[in-house]
């Protein structure tokens, strides 16, 4: 018996099932799954440029007969939806399991969404583990389900299941010989002539899945003492079990398709049925569609964010257990770019020039927060370049502020490159800043095509951003050191003054990669309390009660960014 997070348990379950190939794009809360899988014996694992590519690689490997694991966060499922929906027609060769890790509460995401809807829409079976032991078991057995019904299987997790460690009983690996590949265009070539018959295959599969789910071992009923019954799944089950110990609970391990007859039998055994879920009404609507009358809780459950035992109790009008009140006098701790972050001066200069900045997904999104306040939009990966082009189109023939897109190196490979191709093709203008910090920083410093680091440290190719951009036909391409404020200011001024499209590659390693630290800086008596240095938003910089600058030596890494903005030479090395 050992403790594993849900992510680690999913990796273990895939390995025990004989899965040999893992593919993913890193995204919290799913990232650690493939990292854990990559460390196991006898497997191949890679970071792909995006989730769509990952699923397509997975489908190819499955068609060739291998068992495959593809992992992604919930917004990654949006990117992967195109091949995913068609894979529900083609089916599989070797078993294929897809982890969709949702993020209720948006701890590290731009939205909340419920991946159950993808399973329902694509008609792909979906399993919801409620702890790490189930995550391991469900994943291991999902490969047999995948091959039995000739369909990919979704393991739907959430941030709480992904990151909470609970006991598991790890097992041995069961080797699964690859199924021999045989040419079969009627199964794998989804042109209309072949897709129409595969649609009938899919409908027959749905009927068989609906029969199977009624007696499958993944749905459990916990009989209680009270008159109410709760239907729930995943992390919500843990909250319900703690909050309502006397309730009867139908814990769904399979959330698509639902066991309609079993749910109706459960409803007949209690006086009222309630559904408890996070972030959507997927489960409530689906249970009602099974012919089960669902009651409303005395007090509404929150429509957004994560659940907790306290919120579940409150929904049923129950008192909260005794607990210490939450502290109310703690100082705020807003997120900020790290001390020495190479992105900081770029945002400072964009703020100074009052540019309209279309941003992207990454740790540099923090450039939107005060005091930098240098980002106007963030929607999804790759949108910065596309939206900048949209701004240019809408504001054409008007006097307007400079329009600048800001995107990280990994995100540029993920989907920014295709956006730039479209802009160049359509003779777009504007400035694109690629913040190349040599890693995929936000999700834990994973590799990407532009630093050439692979998941299992295999020999690779490091792609050259400026060469790729120049090959697209962009003539104005420059590489600039983002730690040099004067160089950043000059490059931005020249690029935004051009009538054509300009690309600036701001290249400097993430400070967490090399962890190079110089002696901390200090504030001398010549400080005039002007506050210019504090506007950089560095966590190491503050002000005393007189307004003079302060530097926290425990946080300062001696990068010297602040010295470039002090007109009085008050920030010194010793």
């Amino acid at each position: 018996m050992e403790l594993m997070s849900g992510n680690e348990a999913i990796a273990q379950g895939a390995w025990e099932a004989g899965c040999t190939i893992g593919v993913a794009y890193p995204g919290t809360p799913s990232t650690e799954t493939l990292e854990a899988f990559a460390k196991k014996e006898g497997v191949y694992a890679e970071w792909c440029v995006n989730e769509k590519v990952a699923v397509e690689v997975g489908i190819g490997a499955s068609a060739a007969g291998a068992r495959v694991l593809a992992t992604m966060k919930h917004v990654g499922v949006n990117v992967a939806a195109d091949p995913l929906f068609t894979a529900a027609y083609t089916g599989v060769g070797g078993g294929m399991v897809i982890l969709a890790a949702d993020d209720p509460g948006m701890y590290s995401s731009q939205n909340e969404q419920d991946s159950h809807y993808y399973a329902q829409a694509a008609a792909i079976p979906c399993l919801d583990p409620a702890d790490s032991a189930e995550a391991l078991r469900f994943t291991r057995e999902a490969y047999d389900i995948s091959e039995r019904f000739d369909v990919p299987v979704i393991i739907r997790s959430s941030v709480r299941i992904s990151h909470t460690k609970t006991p598991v009983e790890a097992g041995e690996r069961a080797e699964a010989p690859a199924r021999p590949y045989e040419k079969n265009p009627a199964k794998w070539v989804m042109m209309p002539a072949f897709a129409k018959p595969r649609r009938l295959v899919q409908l027959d599969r749905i009927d068989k899945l609906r029969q199977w789910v009624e007696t499958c071992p993944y749905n459990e009923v916990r009989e209680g003492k009270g008159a109410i019954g709760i239907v729930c799944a995943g992390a919500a089950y843990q909250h319900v079990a703690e909050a309502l110990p006397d309730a009867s609970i139908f814990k769904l391990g399979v959330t698509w398709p639902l066991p309609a007859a079993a749910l109706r039998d459960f409803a007949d055994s209690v006086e009222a049925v309630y559904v408890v879920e996070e972030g959507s009404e997927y489960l409530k609507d689906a249970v009602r569609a099974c012919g089960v009358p669902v009651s409303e809780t005395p007090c509404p459950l929150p429509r957004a964010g994560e659940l907790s035992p306290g919120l579940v109790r409150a929904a049923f009008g129950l008192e909260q257990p005794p607990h210490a009140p939450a502290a109310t006098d703690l100082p705020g701790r807003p997120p900020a770019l790290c001390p020495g972050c190479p992105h900081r001066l770029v945002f400072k200069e964009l703020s100074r020039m009052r540019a309209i900045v279309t941003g992207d997904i990454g740790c540099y999104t923090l450039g939107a927060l005060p005091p930098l306040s240098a980002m106007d939009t963030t929607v999804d990966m790759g949108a910065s370049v596309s939206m900048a082009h949209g701004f240019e189109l809408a504001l054409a023939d008007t006097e307007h502020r400079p329009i600048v897109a800001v995107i990280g190196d990994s995100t540029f490979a993920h989907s920014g490159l295709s956006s730039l191709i479209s802009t160049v093709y359509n003779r777009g203008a504007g400035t694109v800043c690629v913040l190349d910090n040599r890693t995929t920083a936000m999700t834990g410093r994973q590799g990407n095509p532009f630093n050439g680091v692979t998941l299992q440290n295999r020999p690779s190719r490091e792609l050259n951003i400026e060469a790729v951009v120049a090959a697209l036909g962009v003539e104005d391409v420059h590489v600039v050191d983002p730690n040099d404020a004067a160089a950043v200011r000059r490059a931005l001024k020249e690029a935004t003054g051009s009538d054509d499209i300009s690309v600036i590659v701001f290249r400097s390693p993430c400070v967490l990669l090399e962890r190079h630290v110089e002696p901390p800086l200090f504030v001398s008596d010549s400080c005039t309390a002007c506050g210019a240095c504090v506007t950089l938003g560095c966590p190491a910089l503050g002000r005393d009660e007189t307004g003079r600058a302060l530097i926290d030596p425990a946080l300062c890494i001696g990068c010297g960014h602040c010295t470039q903005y002090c007109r009085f030479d008050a920030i010194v090395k010793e």
Side-chain angles (χ1 to χ4, degrees):
M1 188 72 69
E2 58 184 298
L3 289 176
M4 284 188 187
S5 69
N7 283 343
E8 293 167 331
I10 290 167
Q12 178 70 19
W15 180 78
E16 290 182 14
C19 175
T20 57
I21 296 176
V23 286
Y25 180 81
T28 307
S30 71
T31 305
E32 300 87 355
T33 312
L34 206 66
E35 290 178 332
F37 180 80
K39 296 175 183 177
K40 300 189 179 298
E41 294 292 329
V43 304
Y44 172 90
E46 72 175 30
W47 295 128
C48 299
V49 294
N50 61 42
E51 296 85 359
K52 177 180 182 290
V53 170
V55 169
E56 290 163 347
V57 172
I59 294 171
S62 170
R67 286 188 164 184
V68 179
L69 174 67
T71 70
M72 62 203 71
K73 66 184 296 177
H74 63 289
V75 287
V77 185
N78 300 335
V79 180
D82 192 0
L84 181 64
F85 273 67
T86 304
Y89 276 42
T90 65
V92 301
M96 183 171 182
V97 172
I98 298 167
L99 167 64
D102 289 359
D103 189 14
M106 295 179 282
Y107 291 98
S108 57
S109 307
Q110 68 267 43
N111 68 20
E112 283 186 341
Q113 64 185 56
D114 189 341
S115 295
H116 290 121
Y117 288 109
Y118 275 107
Q120 181 186 54
I124 290 176
C126 181
L127 278 60
D128 269 61
D131 57 28
S132 297
E134 287 190 349
L136 192 158
R137 175 190 165 210
F138 287 9
T139 305
R140 183 182 63 226
E141 298 178 11
Y143 287 93
D144 291 331
I145 298 169
S146 175
E147 292 171 357
R148 173 182 172 183
F149 292 101
D150 189 23
V151 66
V153 174
I154 291 176
I155 299 290
R156 186 262 181 185
S157 182
S158 66
V159 64
R160 208 51 56 185
I161 299 300
S162 293
H163 291 159
T164 299
K165 293 196 173 188
T166 61
V168 303
E169 193 71 53
E172 299 297 322
R173 180 171 171 84
E175 295 298 336
R179 296 181 166 196
Y181 172 71
E182 297 180 2
K183 184 180 179 68
N184 187 356
K187 176 176 170 65
W188 293 107
V189 180
M190 287 300 96
M191 57 191 291
F194 294 140
K196 290 177 181 179
R198 290 303 297 182
R199 170 62 171 158
L200 300 180
V201 170
Q202 182 190 43
L203 292 173
D204 180 63
R205 178 199 300 136
I206 291 171
D207 293 339
K208 291 175 179 177
L209 283 167
R210 292 193 189 281
Q211 294 174 8
W212 165 79
V213 78
E214 293 291 348
T215 57
C216 78
Y218 308 111
N219 301 317
E220 301 177 7
V221 174
R222 190 193 78 176
E223 296 184 1
K225 303 174 184 177
I228 66 170
I230 310 293
V231 179
C232 55
Y237 166 75
Q238 304 293 352
H239 304 317
V240 169
E242 181 177 337
L244 306 171
D246 293 332
S248 293
I249 302 175
F250 196 124
K251 179 168 76 69
L252 289 164
V254 180
T255 45
W256 193 90
L258 293 189
L263 283 167
R264 289 194 293 268
D265 290 343
F266 175 71
D268 291 341
S269 70
V270 295
E271 293 182 9
V273 173
Y274 300 87
V275 173
V276 175
E277 59 187 325
E278 292 176 322
S280 81
E281 294 190 347
Y282 162 79
L283 201 52
K284 182 186 292 185
D285 292 341
V287 171
R288 283 177 172 153
C290 292
V292 175
V294 176
S295 300
E296 297 293 337
T297 56
C299 300
L301 283 162
R303 297 174 63 188
E306 276 195 296
L307 291 180
S308 67
L311 290 172
V312 174
R313 287 183 63 86
F316 285 89
L318 302 176
E319 293 183 359
Q320 301 299 311
H323 61 278
T328 58
D329 58 348
L330 297 177
R333 296 184 62 189
L337 297 171
C338 298
C341 175
H343 305 328
R344 177 169 279 107
L345 302 192
V346 176
F347 285 119
K348 175 62 179 176
E349 291 305 318
L350 288 170
S351 180
R352 281 167 57 103
M353 65 191 302
R354 298 185 64 250
I356 297 172
V357 179
T358 54
D360 228 293
I361 305 296
C363 53
Y364 51 87
T365 310
L366 295 172
L369 300 181
L372 292 168
S373 302
M375 194 177 289
D376 292 75
T377 69
T378 298
V379 175
D380 68 341
M381 300 192 84
S384 58
V385 182
S386 307
M387 290 183 66
H389 180 51
F391 267 91
E392 291 281 2
L393 293 176
L395 299 178
D397 302 321
T398 68
E399 290 291 332
H400 61 78
R401 291 182 283 150
I403 298 170
V404 179
V406 173
I407 188 168
D409 50 327
S410 179
T411 312
F412 187 61
H414 179 284
S415 45
L417 190 55
S418 56
S419 298
L420 183 61
I421 291 172
S422 182
T423 301
V424 173
Y425 162 62
N426 286 290
R427 303 288 301 196
T431 300
V432 176
C433 298
V434 182
L435 305 183
D436 180 9
N437 63 359
R438 318 304 298 147
T439 190
T440 311
M442 184 175 67
T443 51
R445 302 184 300 282
Q446 290 80 22
N448 67 64
F450 292 123
N451 69 9
V453 178
T454 63
L455 178 54
Q456 293 177 311
N457 294 312
R458 297 179 307 276
S460 177
R461 293 184 176 91
E462 179 180 334
L463 304 188
N464 183 299
I465 295 177
E466 52 271 30
V468 170
V469 170
L472 300 182
V474 179
E475 297 178 357
D476 187 4
V477 185
H478 297 281
V479 178
V480 176
D481 179 4
N483 300 295
D484 183 338
V488 171
R489 188 177 304 132
R490 183 167 55 251
L492 287 171
K493 182 178 180 180
E494 292 174 357
T496 56
S498 170
D499 292 330
D500 204 348
I501 187 165
S502 303
V503 175
I504 308 171
V505 181
F506 288 109
R507 178 170 294 140
S508 182
C510 169
V511 293
L512 298 180
L513 276 182
E514 300 178 354
R515 297 185 183 274
H516 178 72
V517 178
E518 296 286 341
L521 301 171
F522 298 90
V523 180
S524 72
D525 291 339
S526 57
C527 175
T528 64
C530 70
C533 60
V534 181
T535 63
L536 288 170
C538 177
L541 279 164
R543 305 175 85 167
D544 64 16
E545 61 277 4
T546 69
R548 295 178 73 254
L550 283 175
I551 294 179
D552 185 342
L555 294 176
C556 179
I557 68 166
C559 66
H561 288 174
C562 53
T563 63
Q564 300 177 68
Y565 289 87
C566 182
R567 293 176 296 168
F568 306 98
D569 297 324
I571 300 177
V572 296
K573 291 186 177 181
E574 59 182 38

